[in-house]
């Protein structure tokens, strides 16, 4: 909706892509990793990572997602900051 060229890649196993020399999904300098787990898994690919490094939060799913900023508004804001784009 913001006119930014975007490609979403689901990677249940990052290692499979890192170990495959034919994998071309990492040929862009504007890669952002988004995970519900540890951000460390994405650092071989990019230093732009949205993730959680905490443990033991308990609440309703919607409350946890909002607490950590996993909603359209917060993710959009973080991503735009990471890529240096400004949109209102």
């Amino acid at each position: 909706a913001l006119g930014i060229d975007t490609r979403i890649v689901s990677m249940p196993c990052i290692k499979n892509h890192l170990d495959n020399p034919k994998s071309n999904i990492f040929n862009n300098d504007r890669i952002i990793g988004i995970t519900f787990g540890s951000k460390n898994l994405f650092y071989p690919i990019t230093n732009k990572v949205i993730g959680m490094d905490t443990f033991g939060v308990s609440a309703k799913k919607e409350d946890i997602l909002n607490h950590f900023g996993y909603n359209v508004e917060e993710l959009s804001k973080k991503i735009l900051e990471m890529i240096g784009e400004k949109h209102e």
Side-chain angles (χ1 to χ4, degrees):
L2 297 174
I4 298 172
D5 187 24
T6 306
R7 187 170 111 187
I8 298 173
V9 178
S10 175
M11 293 193 319
C13 183
I14 293 173
K15 186 174 179 345
N16 288 347
H17 293 284
L18 291 174
D19 292 345
N20 181 357
K22 293 182 181 179
S23 180
N24 66 350
I25 62 171
F26 306 126
N27 62 359
N28 186 322
D29 62 344
R30 292 175 78 171
I31 295 172
I32 299 174
I34 302 174
T35 180
F36 287 120
S38 173
K39 298 185 282 187
N40 291 336
L41 295 172
F42 280 90
Y43 290 132
I45 302 165
T46 180
N47 63 351
K48 298 173 185 160
V49 184
I50 299 169
M52 297 185 287
D53 290 319
T54 60
F55 178 77
V57 177
S58 179
K60 292 180 189 174
K61 177 180 72 173
E62 295 81 16
D63 294 339
I64 290 175
L65 293 175
N66 284 323
H67 174 77
F68 286 104
Y70 287 93
N71 56 56
V72 173
E73 293 81 19
E74 289 299 316
L75 284 173
S76 297
K77 181 180 169 185
K78 289 177 187 177
I79 291 167
L80 290 172
E81 288 172 4
M82 289 177 163
I83 64 172
E85 296 277 340
K86 293 183 179 164
H87 291 274
E88 298 296 324

